Amino acid sequence: MTTVPPIAAALRVCAALLVCVAPLAAQARRALQPEDWYRFQAVSDLQIAPDGAAVAYLVTSYDKASDESRAALWTADWTGRNSQQLTRGESVNEPRFSPDGHYLSFLSARPKGESTQVWLLPRKGGEWRQLTHVSGEITSYEWSRDGAHMVLVMHGVAPGTSETAPGKDGKARREHRPSAAPKPLVIDAYQFKQDEDGYLTAESRSHLYLLDVRSGVVEALTTDPQRADSKPQFSPDGRQIAYVSNLVGGGAQDVGIDELYLLAPTAGAKPHRLLKTWTPNHQHLEWSPDGRQIAFLIGDEPRYNAYILDDLAVADVASGKVRDLTGKLDRAVVSPAFSSDGRSIQFAIEDDGFQYPAQVALASGAITHLGDSMVVTELATSAGHTAVLATNDQSAVEVSALEAGKLRSLSAHNRALLDELALGTVEDIAFTSRDGTSVHGQIVKPPDFIVGHRYPTILWIHGGPNGQDQHELVLEGYGPPLERQLFATHGYVVLAVNYRGSTGRGAAFARSILADWGQKEVQDLLAGVDYAIAKGIANPGRLGIGGWSYGGILTDYTIATDTRFRGAISGAGSGNQLTTYGTDEYIVEYNAELGPPWRNTALWIQVSYPFFHADRIRTPTLFLGGDKDFNVPIAGGEQMYQALRTLGIPTQLIVYPGEYHVLTRPSFLVDRSRRYLAWIEEYLGGSP
């Protein structure tokens, strides 16, 4: 018998105790709860100071007492040791550093109920002051490089009126004041609806105005009532403003096109058109540091509007010649920004479950990765420093410094909450669809997952179809990762399938469902379920399905195709696409991709098969949506609800008053999560 030294024996005892304590520590963490919405903080709108020594950003919190979502302005220095909340009370948006870096500006309606104005605040804290006193609605703005002027993007200024310097009462003087009585809405645009913006009248078209920062005088720069002007950027020398103009008062031939104009910052100056391009998902203009080039994003013709992969390009200011920098990349580009020396442009690339930072050299066109295995949602660079908003499977979006391909944290707004939670593990999956197509995605397993045990499984479908399931933990919008963890932490396996139509796998993969909705996507989704069953993970008798937006639409398609799902959740979806024509915001896509219903009636009925074949549905389904949604109007859920009620299928319809496509009222976010869990538990049974 070997004698064990006392110290060695003690170490063995400690090791044994640690083995026992580790599972207990994991068990001490808890599941994600609907009420956690009140503690989440969503980080967005990243800005970096001109000297690169600090970042500014917005933090949206979900206040239980007021039942409001509120965005506050925060700053953090480059070391990450010092951060500060600069605003409280009313929400702010559109933060900007002043060109000298001493101040931060933002938009806010203060006090609540007043019109939105530009406010100025010392960068290191202090008293803010109101810069504008206009009666129109400011939606965005940009500083001139010398800090003497701003260009405002504003709408709601009636013809024949002018915005001038504030009077003695501090309010804007106007030649004519509008009547408080409501007036009929006069519609003359081809696309006349937009979620959150409502009906698009001539008054809702934005134009550019020049603000003299010192005097407060505001002068109109663009006034064409048939156009909407946006995205202004001052040239480095301050002599020109580049902006995007859209001819919205024209016909079908004018939609889906961005026109880039140059304009001297002087009232009465005549704009000069630099170029025309297809409208991307998210247009972004930026001057090169030397003022010779403008970076912008290229979309695709309206026929492919639902499957756009934004390309990065530069235009020569003198000639208008365009060079596409990422045309051969075959992936979408996000958040481009010129490097300080102007030799390269940094951006994020959407690619097969990730969205990683990269840069392209302007001289050679060579693209290099700046990091891998991460999801970067925004990027900003200045003075040799690059900051990003980044997320992964276990961490919500936070601010980080990007250094030598690695992330260094500059904020931790959700760390305390996430440290309490036992989140599910996320693994990449790949399988073959019925026709041999390779399909990718992720599977989310409960924190205490046991190999060999079959779990109740939920197929949770991302919206779009433009977009992808990726390795992120988002806290707002209608992306599915938060819901995936909500279900996984309550004991369910969750499948996230990047079906055909998704981006991240190239243009051909995305466009493969062109004018053929609800066919290949459903094949891919069902193949994902078959994969999880074949792997011994999913319980074939306890399957659920759900999603929001196109995820809700695909839920309707899938339950009208396959009856094996015991419970379904269709959020902001529709099963009868015929009734969306002219009632939602997608007229451009409908006419270009499907053609008008009177020309292609059979095709419209085909893509509406969940409604016209509702008698094939056997799955109890929960329908939800906001009553002000112009993206996918609530009528889509109402019709499917009425069909299932008529057929005697268990169903329920939840209407959220005053909400658009993306829910923002905190109590509704909590309510929706509770209903998700309750519906799935009722029809799939409780978690193991």
Side-chain angles (χ1 to χ4, degrees):
M1 183 174 184
T2 304
T3 302
V4 180
I7 294 179
L11 289 174
R12 288 187 182 180
V13 171
C14 289
L17 287 173
L18 286 173
V19 170
C20 295
V21 169
L24 293 175
Q27 292 172 15
R29 295 195 173 204
R30 60 177 179 82
L32 179 63
Q33 298 296 335
E35 292 74 16
D36 287 326
W37 268 110
Y38 292 126
R39 294 181 58 193
F40 282 135
Q41 297 186 75
V43 178
S44 64
D45 293 76
L46 177 66
Q47 301 288 314
I48 189 167
D51 60 5
V55 293
Y57 55 95
L58 299 183
V59 178
T60 299
S61 57
Y62 304 91
D63 185 64
K64 185 174 184 179
S66 64
D67 202 18
E68 293 179 337
S69 302
R70 293 176 177 168
L73 177 60
W74 281 72
T75 61
D77 65 23
W78 192 248
T79 67
R81 291 191 292 267
N82 300 304
S83 63
Q84 184 180 10
Q85 181 177 349
L86 298 182
T87 67
R88 288 175 171 78
E90 285 80 10
S91 276
V92 308
N93 59 63
E94 298 288 319
R96 301 284 189 274
F97 281 97
S98 62
D100 62 10
H102 294 160
Y103 295 90
L104 279 159
S105 54
F106 57 88
L107 295 181
S108 185
R110 294 169 176 262
K112 187 176 180 180
E114 293 294 319
S115 60
T116 299
Q117 305 291 342
V118 181
W119 298 77
L120 194 65
L121 180 67
R123 170 171 158 180
K124 297 185 178 179
E127 293 298 320
W128 55 55
R129 65 184 178 92
Q130 187 175 338
L131 277 188
T132 61
H133 298 79
V134 298
S135 54
E137 184 67 21
I138 304 173
T139 58
S140 185
Y141 66 96
E142 293 295 336
W143 286 90
S144 64
R145 300 300 174 95
D146 62 4
H149 295 89
M150 284 183 179
V151 56
L152 310 178
V153 181
M154 185 162 55
H155 63 81
V157 181
T161 68
S162 61
E163 298 285 359
T164 64
K168 293 180 180 179
D169 59 358
K171 297 182 179 179
R173 295 193 302 267
R174 297 187 62 169
E175 296 174 11
H176 305 287
R177 292 194 176 274
S179 170
K183 296 181 179 180
L185 301 178
V186 180
I187 306 296
D188 65 352
Y190 180 73
Q191 181 184 347
F192 68 96
K193 302 178 89 171
Q194 188 73 36
D195 194 39
E196 299 188 33
D197 294 331
Y199 289 98
L200 304 179
T201 65
E203 190 179 42
S204 69
R205 293 168 194 162
S206 58
H207 300 290
L208 307 186
Y209 296 78
L210 186 69
L211 167 70
D212 185 291
V213 172
R214 177 171 293 182
S215 69
V217 171
V218 178
E219 297 179 293
L221 293 176
T222 63
T223 57
D224 188 339
Q226 297 301 306
R227 291 186 169 274
D229 306 312
S230 62
K231 310 290 182 183
Q233 291 288 330
F234 276 95
S235 61
D237 62 10
R239 295 180 180 178
Q240 297 187 90
I241 296 172
Y243 66 96
V244 175
S245 186
N246 301 104
L247 183 56
V248 295
Q253 71 280 359
D254 301 309
V255 298
I257 296 173
D258 281 357
E259 297 181 78
L260 272 60
Y261 277 84
L262 299 176
L263 175 69
T266 306
K270 185 177 179 180
H272 161 68
R273 192 177 75 186
L274 182 66
L275 61 91
K276 294 172 64 173
T277 186
W278 295 117
T279 303
N281 292 307
H282 304 286
Q283 187 56 275
H284 178 88
L285 303 186
E286 186 168 338
W287 290 81
S288 62
D290 62 9
R292 295 180 179 179
Q293 299 182 91
I294 297 175
F296 67 101
L297 295 173
I298 299 175
D300 215 328
E301 60 182 288
R303 186 180 180 213
Y304 301 120
N305 223 30
Y307 320 104
I308 292 173
L309 310 182
D310 292 357
D311 273 5
L312 174 63
V314 290
D316 181 76
V317 174
S319 66
K321 184 178 179 180
V322 172
R323 186 157 58 106
D324 190 336
L325 299 174
T326 62
K328 296 181 180 179
L329 182 62
D330 199 24
R331 294 293 187 272
V333 168
V334 180
S335 196
F338 268 102
S339 61
S340 299
D341 59 13
R343 295 179 180 176
S344 63
I345 300 177
Q346 298 181 358
F347 49 85
I349 298 175
E350 182 189 44
D351 185 22
D352 202 10
F354 295 97
Q355 197 159 284
Y356 53 81
Q359 71 178 17
V360 58
L362 268 67
S364 66
I367 297 174
T368 56
H369 291 196
L370 300 179
D372 294 293
S373 302
M374 61 181 73
V375 173
V376 168
T377 61
E378 294 183 32
L379 180 150
T381 183
S382 186
H385 287 171
T386 297
V388 298
L389 296 186
T391 174
N392 57 41
D393 296 320
Q394 302 289 313
S395 174
V397 174
E398 297 284 358
V399 185
S400 293
L402 177 63
E403 298 171 326
K406 304 294 182 182
L407 299 180
R408 176 172 56 83
S409 179
L410 298 180
S411 77
H413 293 280
N414 293 283
R415 182 177 296 166
L417 172 60
L418 294 176
D419 282 347
E420 297 178 14
L421 305 178
L423 297 178
T425 58
V426 183
E427 301 171 8
D428 286 319
I429 56 175
F431 50 89
T432 302
S433 196
R434 187 174 69 185
D435 62 0
T437 300
S438 176
V439 180
H440 301 171
Q442 297 103 46
I443 188 168
V444 189
K445 298 177 179 178
D448 55 356
F449 179 80
I450 300 171
V451 176
H453 183 87
R454 287 191 179 271
Y455 285 79
T457 298
I458 302 167
L459 175 62
W460 197 256
I461 311 167
H462 74 74
N466 192 292
Q468 64 170 353
D469 276 309
Q470 52 193 15
H471 291 275
E472 62 181 339
L473 183 65
V474 297
L475 305 179
E476 60 179 0
Y478 53 93
L482 183 61
E483 285 81 7
R484 294 182 342 199
Q485 288 291 352
L486 178 70
F487 292 126
T489 61
H490 283 80
Y492 300 94
V493 163
V494 184
L495 287 172
V497 175
N498 283 320
Y499 51 85
R500 274 171 283 183
S502 305
T503 46
R505 297 277 305 281
F509 189 87
R511 295 176 183 174
S512 62
I513 66 168
L514 184 76
D516 188 25
W517 308 340
Q519 306 296 331
K520 297 181 179 70
E521 312 100 293
V522 173
Q523 291 178 27
D524 297 347
L525 294 169
L526 294 177
V529 174
D530 293 339
Y531 166 87
I533 293 172
K535 289 292 184 180
I537 297 171
N539 184 334
R542 299 176 70 185
L543 299 175
I545 185 173
W548 194 269
S549 192
Y550 199 70
I553 292 171
L554 283 181
T555 296
D556 294 346
Y557 280 130
T558 306
I559 61 176
T561 303
D562 195 310
T563 61
R564 60 175 144 170
F565 297 96
R566 290 179 54 176
I569 297 169
S570 179
S574 64
N576 182 3
Q577 314 317 333
L578 263 172
T579 59
T580 64
Y581 188 92
T583 65
D584 67 14
E585 62 187 40
Y586 293 109
I587 190 64
V588 176
E589 290 91 320
Y590 293 153
N591 281 345
E593 183 175 349
L594 300 179
W598 52 91
R599 268 191 222 154
N600 297 328
T601 307
L603 178 57
W604 277 90
I605 292 176
Q606 174 188 313
V607 299
S608 302
Y609 73 78
F611 181 74
F612 288 102
H613 295 290
D615 55 343
R616 299 175 181 173
I617 298 174
R618 300 291 182 269
T619 305
T621 305
L622 175 68
F623 297 97
L624 313 92
D627 70 348
K628 295 179 70 176
D629 187 350
F630 275 2
N631 188 312
V632 186
I634 189 66
E638 291 172 338
Q639 285 193 309
M640 290 302 296
Y641 164 79
Q642 197 69 74
L644 295 198
R645 286 290 292 176
T646 300
L647 292 164
I649 304 298
T651 184
Q652 196 172 65
L653 173 66
I654 310 300
V655 180
Y656 292 106
E659 293 289 81
Y660 302 106
H661 193 58
V662 176
L663 304 188
T664 59
R665 184 178 289 273
S667 63
F668 289 166
L669 294 168
V670 172
D671 178 87
R672 181 175 64 178
S673 295
R674 287 173 177 164
R675 293 182 188 278
Y676 282 174
L677 288 174
W679 192 265
I680 291 298
E681 183 172 350
E682 179 175 357
Y683 290 101
L684 269 67
S687 59

Short mmCIF file of all heavy atoms in Angstrom, two decimals, residues 15 33 68 115 131 144 166 217 229 242 277 284 340 387 397 407 460 494 524 534 556 631 633 642 670 684:
data_model
loop_
_atom_site.label_atom_id
_atom_site.label_comp_id
_atom_site.label_asym_id
_atom_site.label_seq_id
_atom_site.Cartn_x
_atom_site.Cartn_y
_atom_site.Cartn_z
N ALA A 15 -9.28 18.67 -5.57
CA ALA A 15 -9.63 18.40 -6.96
C ALA A 15 -10.99 17.71 -7.04
O ALA A 15 -11.82 18.04 -7.89
CB ALA A 15 -8.55 17.53 -7.61
N GLN A 33 -35.41 34.54 -18.71
CA GLN A 33 -36.83 34.74 -18.41
C GLN A 33 -37.38 35.91 -19.21
O GLN A 33 -36.65 36.87 -19.52
CB GLN A 33 -37.02 35.00 -16.92
CG GLN A 33 -36.58 33.86 -16.01
CD GLN A 33 -37.41 32.60 -16.21
OE1 GLN A 33 -38.55 32.65 -16.66
NE2 GLN A 33 -36.81 31.45 -15.88
N GLU A 68 -41.54 52.27 -21.50
CA GLU A 68 -40.95 52.87 -22.69
C GLU A 68 -39.54 52.33 -22.92
O GLU A 68 -38.84 52.00 -21.97
CB GLU A 68 -40.87 54.39 -22.56
CG GLU A 68 -42.22 55.09 -22.54
CD GLU A 68 -42.07 56.59 -22.38
OE1 GLU A 68 -41.03 57.04 -21.85
OE2 GLU A 68 -43.00 57.31 -22.77
N SER A 115 -40.97 69.03 -30.81
CA SER A 115 -40.36 68.54 -32.04
C SER A 115 -38.89 68.19 -31.80
O SER A 115 -38.25 68.73 -30.90
CB SER A 115 -40.47 69.58 -33.15
OG SER A 115 -39.82 70.78 -32.77
N LEU A 131 -29.31 73.52 -30.29
CA LEU A 131 -28.73 74.19 -31.45
C LEU A 131 -29.77 74.65 -32.45
O LEU A 131 -29.61 75.68 -33.08
CB LEU A 131 -27.74 73.27 -32.16
CG LEU A 131 -26.31 73.18 -31.62
CD1 LEU A 131 -25.46 72.36 -32.58
CD2 LEU A 131 -25.70 74.56 -31.44
N SER A 144 -20.10 70.12 -40.87
CA SER A 144 -19.05 70.49 -41.81
C SER A 144 -17.71 70.28 -41.10
O SER A 144 -17.64 70.27 -39.86
CB SER A 144 -19.19 71.95 -42.25
OG SER A 144 -19.03 72.83 -41.14
N PRO A 166 -33.98 81.46 -34.47
CA PRO A 166 -35.01 81.51 -33.44
C PRO A 166 -35.33 82.93 -33.02
O PRO A 166 -34.47 83.81 -33.03
CB PRO A 166 -34.39 80.71 -32.29
CG PRO A 166 -32.92 80.81 -32.50
CD PRO A 166 -32.74 80.84 -33.99
N VAL A 217 -29.33 80.34 -38.02
CA VAL A 217 -30.08 80.52 -39.26
C VAL A 217 -30.09 79.20 -40.05
O VAL A 217 -29.07 78.54 -40.20
CB VAL A 217 -29.46 81.65 -40.11
CG1 VAL A 217 -30.10 81.70 -41.50
CG2 VAL A 217 -29.64 82.98 -39.41
N ASP A 229 -34.40 63.60 -50.32
CA ASP A 229 -32.95 63.76 -50.23
C ASP A 229 -32.46 63.32 -48.85
O ASP A 229 -33.10 63.62 -47.84
CB ASP A 229 -32.57 65.22 -50.49
CG ASP A 229 -33.13 65.74 -51.80
OD1 ASP A 229 -32.97 65.05 -52.82
OD2 ASP A 229 -33.74 66.82 -51.80
N ALA A 242 -22.11 65.89 -50.64
CA ALA A 242 -22.59 64.73 -51.40
C ALA A 242 -23.84 64.21 -50.70
O ALA A 242 -23.89 64.17 -49.47
CB ALA A 242 -21.52 63.65 -51.47
N THR A 277 -27.19 54.61 -59.23
CA THR A 277 -26.86 53.23 -58.87
C THR A 277 -28.11 52.55 -58.33
O THR A 277 -29.05 53.22 -57.88
CB THR A 277 -25.73 53.19 -57.82
OG1 THR A 277 -25.34 51.83 -57.59
CG2 THR A 277 -26.19 53.79 -56.49
N HIS A 284 -24.65 54.14 -47.75
CA HIS A 284 -23.69 54.83 -46.90
C HIS A 284 -22.73 55.59 -47.80
O HIS A 284 -22.11 55.01 -48.70
CB HIS A 284 -22.92 53.83 -46.03
CG HIS A 284 -21.88 54.46 -45.16
ND1 HIS A 284 -22.15 54.93 -43.90
CD2 HIS A 284 -20.55 54.69 -45.37
CE1 HIS A 284 -21.05 55.44 -43.38
NE2 HIS A 284 -20.06 55.31 -44.25
N SER A 340 -7.67 56.28 -42.00
CA SER A 340 -7.23 57.67 -41.83
C SER A 340 -6.32 58.13 -42.96
O SER A 340 -6.33 59.30 -43.35
CB SER A 340 -6.53 57.84 -40.49
OG SER A 340 -7.40 57.53 -39.42
N ALA A 387 -12.96 50.85 -33.90
CA ALA A 387 -13.91 50.37 -32.90
C ALA A 387 -15.05 49.65 -33.60
O ALA A 387 -15.41 50.00 -34.74
CB ALA A 387 -14.44 51.52 -32.06
N VAL A 397 -24.48 42.52 -27.95
CA VAL A 397 -23.70 43.53 -28.66
C VAL A 397 -23.08 44.51 -27.66
O VAL A 397 -23.76 45.07 -26.82
CB VAL A 397 -24.59 44.31 -29.65
CG1 VAL A 397 -23.81 45.47 -30.28
CG2 VAL A 397 -25.12 43.39 -30.74
N LEU A 407 -10.50 41.38 -30.29
CA LEU A 407 -11.40 42.36 -29.70
C LEU A 407 -11.02 42.63 -28.25
O LEU A 407 -10.75 41.70 -27.48
CB LEU A 407 -12.85 41.86 -29.75
CG LEU A 407 -13.43 41.62 -31.15
CD1 LEU A 407 -14.88 41.13 -31.04
CD2 LEU A 407 -13.36 42.88 -32.00
N TRP A 460 -36.81 27.46 -35.37
CA TRP A 460 -37.06 28.90 -35.26
C TRP A 460 -36.41 29.60 -36.45
O TRP A 460 -35.21 29.51 -36.66
CB TRP A 460 -36.53 29.45 -33.94
CG TRP A 460 -37.13 30.78 -33.63
CD1 TRP A 460 -36.54 32.00 -33.74
CD2 TRP A 460 -38.46 31.04 -33.18
NE1 TRP A 460 -37.42 32.99 -33.39
CE2 TRP A 460 -38.61 32.43 -33.04
CE3 TRP A 460 -39.56 30.22 -32.89
CZ2 TRP A 460 -39.80 33.04 -32.62
CZ3 TRP A 460 -40.75 30.81 -32.47
CH2 TRP A 460 -40.85 32.20 -32.33
N VAL A 494 -33.11 24.02 -30.31
CA VAL A 494 -33.59 24.98 -31.30
C VAL A 494 -32.76 24.85 -32.57
O VAL A 494 -31.52 24.84 -32.52
CB VAL A 494 -33.50 26.43 -30.76
CG1 VAL A 494 -34.08 27.41 -31.78
CG2 VAL A 494 -34.23 26.55 -29.43
N ASP A 524 -35.67 23.01 -47.34
CA ASP A 524 -34.46 23.16 -46.53
C ASP A 524 -34.79 23.10 -45.04
O ASP A 524 -34.04 22.50 -44.25
CB ASP A 524 -33.77 24.48 -46.86
CG ASP A 524 -33.29 24.55 -48.31
OD1 ASP A 524 -33.29 23.50 -48.98
OD2 ASP A 524 -32.94 25.65 -48.75
N ALA A 534 -32.38 12.43 -37.25
CA ALA A 534 -31.43 11.37 -37.60
C ALA A 534 -30.23 11.34 -36.67
O ALA A 534 -29.66 10.27 -36.40
CB ALA A 534 -30.96 11.55 -39.05
N ASP A 556 -46.09 29.71 -41.83
CA ASP A 556 -47.37 29.41 -42.49
C ASP A 556 -47.16 28.45 -43.66
O ASP A 556 -47.93 27.49 -43.84
CB ASP A 556 -48.00 30.71 -43.00
CG ASP A 556 -48.42 31.64 -41.87
OD1 ASP A 556 -48.47 31.19 -40.72
OD2 ASP A 556 -48.70 32.82 -42.16
N ASN A 631 -45.04 46.93 -42.68
CA ASN A 631 -44.08 46.02 -43.28
C ASN A 631 -44.81 44.72 -43.67
O ASN A 631 -44.85 44.34 -44.83
CB ASN A 631 -42.95 45.76 -42.30
CG ASN A 631 -41.80 44.98 -42.89
OD1 ASN A 631 -42.00 43.97 -43.53
ND2 ASN A 631 -40.58 45.45 -42.68
N PRO A 633 -48.51 43.82 -42.71
CA PRO A 633 -49.69 44.24 -41.95
C PRO A 633 -50.36 43.10 -41.19
O PRO A 633 -50.32 41.94 -41.61
CB PRO A 633 -50.61 44.81 -43.04
CG PRO A 633 -49.67 45.27 -44.11
CD PRO A 633 -48.56 44.27 -44.10
N GLN A 642 -58.35 33.58 -38.84
CA GLN A 642 -59.76 33.32 -39.16
C GLN A 642 -59.93 32.00 -39.89
O GLN A 642 -60.91 31.27 -39.67
CB GLN A 642 -60.31 34.46 -40.02
CG GLN A 642 -61.83 34.51 -40.06
CD GLN A 642 -62.42 34.91 -38.72
OE1 GLN A 642 -62.36 36.06 -38.35
NE2 GLN A 642 -62.99 33.96 -38.01
N VAL A 670 -42.07 41.60 -23.09
CA VAL A 670 -42.19 40.60 -22.02
C VAL A 670 -43.39 39.70 -22.29
O VAL A 670 -43.30 38.47 -22.19
CB VAL A 670 -42.31 41.29 -20.65
CG1 VAL A 670 -42.62 40.26 -19.56
CG2 VAL A 670 -41.02 42.04 -20.30
N LEU A 684 -46.14 21.24 -27.03
CA LEU A 684 -45.02 20.31 -27.11
C LEU A 684 -44.80 19.59 -25.80
O LEU A 684 -44.04 18.63 -25.73
CB LEU A 684 -43.72 21.04 -27.50
CG LEU A 684 -43.40 21.12 -28.99
CD1 LEU A 684 -44.41 21.99 -29.72
CD2 LEU A 684 -41.99 21.66 -29.20
#
